[in-house]
Amino acid sequence: MNATMFSRRRLIGAGAALGGLSLAGCASTGGPSIGRVVVVGGGFGGATAARYLRLWGGNVDVTLVERNPQFVSCPISNLVIGGHRQMADITRGYDGLRAAGVKVVQGEVTAIDAAARKVRLAGGTELPYDRLIVSPGIDFLLDQVGGLAPALDSGRVVHGWKAGPQTVALRRQLEAMPDGGVVAISIPKVPYRCPPGPYERACMIASYLKTAKPRSKLLVLDANPEIQSKKALFERAFAQHYKDLLEYRPNSELKEVDGRVAKLEFEDVRADVLNVVPPQRAADLARTAGLVNINNRWAGVNWLTMESTAVPGIHVLGDATFSAPMMPKSGHMANQHAKVAAAAVIQLLKGEPVNATPVMVNTCYSFVTARDVVHVASVHQYDAAEKTLKTVPGSGGVSAAANQIEGRYALSWAENIWADALAL
Ligand SMILES: Cc1cc2nc3c(=O)[nH]c(=O)nc-3n(C[C@H](O)[C@H](O)[C@H](O)COP(=O)(O)OP(=O)(O)OC[C@H]3O[C@@H](n4cnc5c(N)ncnc54)[C@H](O)[C@@H]3O)c2cc1C
């Protein structure tokens, strides 16, 4: 046996003895890092991106910055408002991501210095990056509705469009309202986060009123000319289950809030509980970082990489983006954006080409009673000529009718997407 053969055999033997340990070390901490990625926002888009960068990149150094200590899901939050679930059911932690090798930092990102490639946190900490991913969600266009900002600040009016304390506040107001009271939901013009969400909320509030406060009324004041998603299915649910208490009013844009009076163009609506879903735009961080470049509201992206069309080196995901045609602002979609971005960022860090034909899918379930559910699904494929994602003809569709099997699917979908994003 010569020296070369001996040393090679010893090397293989040593590797076999270390077994999974050496491999695990390589995947999580060992080996030269191919780059530092900072992800801002630990919601549906950001958490998924952080997880998949680790899963697919192995030796990418990933830091996730999120202002909240826990992940609270908007999907299923309407069931909490209807009294069919508790906050604990929609709340999850970030320990799974930590175990997957993501550095999770609880903090507020106050500035992005794209030239120096670093983000600044409240308190002064700076995090350098090679690539930055932001999935900051939405903020509200409060100046479009007179009196709305102070009404929300005082707690008289709630939005419940970011799950957390607002979800609890709306539930408490419904519980405190006497039987015979009036609840009003105001829906803004599209585009807003989760097109079917307000109509699901109407069903969930109505289901509560029907059993607990049957003399009450629910007014659904929609700024749009008609129901924006799963129209026939929601119309059927309104008529079948909530005919005597729910009234749907299209073309009812909210102009002003005065106390608990919703002022529309031609009439005033007095409500005991006023739930205003405000008009929306990309979250503040996208704005201050100069990422908002479409209609003064949304961040434009290159759909092959999710890289901003305004600021190189920054990738934008989820609700903050200017949606491709027929693409909803949904948690499922943000999860898909995140996977395209994670794969592209790894390729870019390695100096290799990105996937030229990304495909994304979406399914949105809506509860119309505590058990019956309807869905809408779609498939979106990259069109190289138009440089956007377009729905695949004949793909997707909606439920034939509300049913309980989809009720089980909806709850499984939620558990699965939380597990997928948070490495649970
Ligand atoms: C009532 C309701 C029901 C819904 N139901 C469904 C459903 O059934 N299915 C579905 O697919 N979608 C649903 N959605 C939509 C879904 O919640 C959103 O589309 C999804 O959350 C978008 O993901 P995102 O990553 O863009 O934003 P988010 O999930 O909102 O995440 C953004 C995160 O960024 C953090 N953040 C923002 N700025 C900073 C900063 N400066 N520093 C640190 N952290 C920051 C926020 O705290 C937040 O955690 C629903 C929405 C609502 C309101």
Side-chain angles (χ1 to χ4, degrees):
M1 183 194 298
N2 65 31
T4 318
M5 279 174 72
F6 174 70
S7 55
R8 192 184 297 155
R9 206 177 286 162
R10 269 184 51 180
L11 210 75
I12 293 165
L18 287 172
L21 225 182
S22 65
L23 283 175
C26 192
S28 58
T29 53
S33 165
I34 62 167
R36 293 164 304 188
V37 181
V38 173
V39 182
V40 184
F44 278 85
T48 310
R51 198 237 170 151
Y52 275 81
L53 281 165
R54 294 293 304 159
L55 206 58
W56 289 338
N59 44 2
V60 182
D61 185 351
V62 185
T63 304
L64 173 68
V65 188
E66 165 57 48
R67 63 162 71 104
N68 295 320
Q70 289 181 302
F71 170 97
V72 186
S73 174
C74 284
I76 311 296
S77 68
N78 282 331
L79 273 75
V80 176
I81 290 163
H84 307 300
R85 286 288 182 285
Q86 302 297 316
M87 286 303 285
D89 297 320
I90 59 167
T91 305
R92 296 290 183 275
Y94 289 107
D95 282 350
L97 288 180
R98 289 190 182 94
V102 176
K103 294 182 198 84
V104 181
V105 175
Q106 189 190 346
E108 177 79 22
V109 171
T110 51
I112 296 171
D113 184 340
R117 299 210 165 211
K118 56 190 180 189
V119 301
R120 192 168 316 119
L121 274 60
T125 304
E126 288 186 339
L127 298 172
Y129 65 81
D130 298 308
R131 291 259 159 198
L132 176 64
I133 297 180
V134 299
S135 192
I138 47 130
D139 276 307
F140 301 128
L141 291 162
L142 293 176
D143 52 0
Q144 288 195 358
V145 181
L148 181 56
L152 287 169
D153 282 348
S154 71
R156 264 195 327 276
V157 170
V158 282
H159 58 76
W161 222 242
K162 295 183 185 185
Q166 280 280 314
T167 314
V168 176
L170 181 51
R171 176 68 197 156
R172 293 215 172 114
Q173 286 197 7
L174 291 169
E175 285 172 341
M177 187 186 81
D179 190 8
V182 174
V183 183
I185 303 176
S186 164
I187 305 172
K189 283 197 172 137
V190 285
Y192 56 81
R193 141 180 293 187
C194 194
Y199 312 104
E200 178 188 58
R201 175 165 297 173
C203 290
M204 289 298 91
I205 292 178
S207 74
Y208 169 66
L209 298 178
K210 189 175 170 177
T211 50
K213 298 174 184 180
R215 294 190 295 116
S216 306
K217 286 272 173 249
L218 172 62
L219 300 176
V220 183
L221 309 172
D222 196 341
N224 299 289
E226 59 182 9
I227 291 174
Q228 291 300 302
S229 178
K230 302 175 233 184
K231 179 171 180 261
L233 292 163
F234 279 117
E235 281 175 346
R236 203 180 308 161
F238 290 175
Q240 192 176 339
H241 301 290
Y242 312 118
K243 188 162 61 74
D244 297 330
L245 66 95
L246 187 156
E247 186 187 331
Y248 175 73
R249 294 190 196 168
N251 298 312
S252 299
E253 186 173 11
L254 183 63
K255 299 288 184 191
E256 194 183 335
V257 174
D258 182 4
R260 285 205 181 97
V261 176
K263 298 192 163 195
L264 314 177
E265 197 172 3
F266 299 114
E267 64 174 324
D268 293 353
V269 174
R270 182 172 297 278
D272 299 285
V273 175
L274 181 51
N275 174 203
V276 176
V277 179
Q280 295 157 35
R281 59 169 170 80
D284 290 340
L285 183 67
R287 199 179 241 194
T288 54
L291 299 165
V292 170
N293 60 352
I294 300 186
N295 299 337
N296 206 20
R297 280 174 85 173
W298 309 109
V301 293
N302 170 347
W303 290 102
L304 291 177
T305 57
M306 302 304 295
E307 188 166 1
S308 160
T309 51
V311 187
I314 305 182
H315 302 251
V316 191
L317 316 177
D319 291 354
T321 59
F322 179 68
S323 305
M326 310 297 287
M327 179 183 278
K329 293 189 181 298
S330 73
H332 200 143
M333 216 67 250
N335 171 283
Q336 301 280 289
H337 293 175
K339 289 173 184 172
V340 168
V345 163
I346 290 166
Q347 294 301 91
L348 291 167
L349 289 174
K350 289 184 186 163
E352 291 175 11
V354 303
N355 176 13
T357 54
V359 176
M360 301 187 190
V361 297
N362 184 72
T363 307
C364 271
Y365 292 100
S366 300
F367 283 81
V368 298
T369 72
R371 288 190 186 157
D372 296 296
V373 163
V374 293
H375 84 269
V376 57
S378 51
V379 181
H380 307 256
Q381 189 170 39
Y382 188 68
D383 182 305
E386 297 194 29
K387 293 189 168 54
T388 189
L389 286 142
K390 292 171 78 176
T391 46
V392 175
S395 70
V398 296
S399 313
N403 63 86
Q404 294 194 4
I405 292 175
E406 289 200 51
R408 293 207 294 277
Y409 293 167
L411 296 173
S412 303
W413 170 89
E415 292 292 349
N416 282 319
I417 202 160
W418 298 335
D420 189 48
L422 298 162
L424 300 174

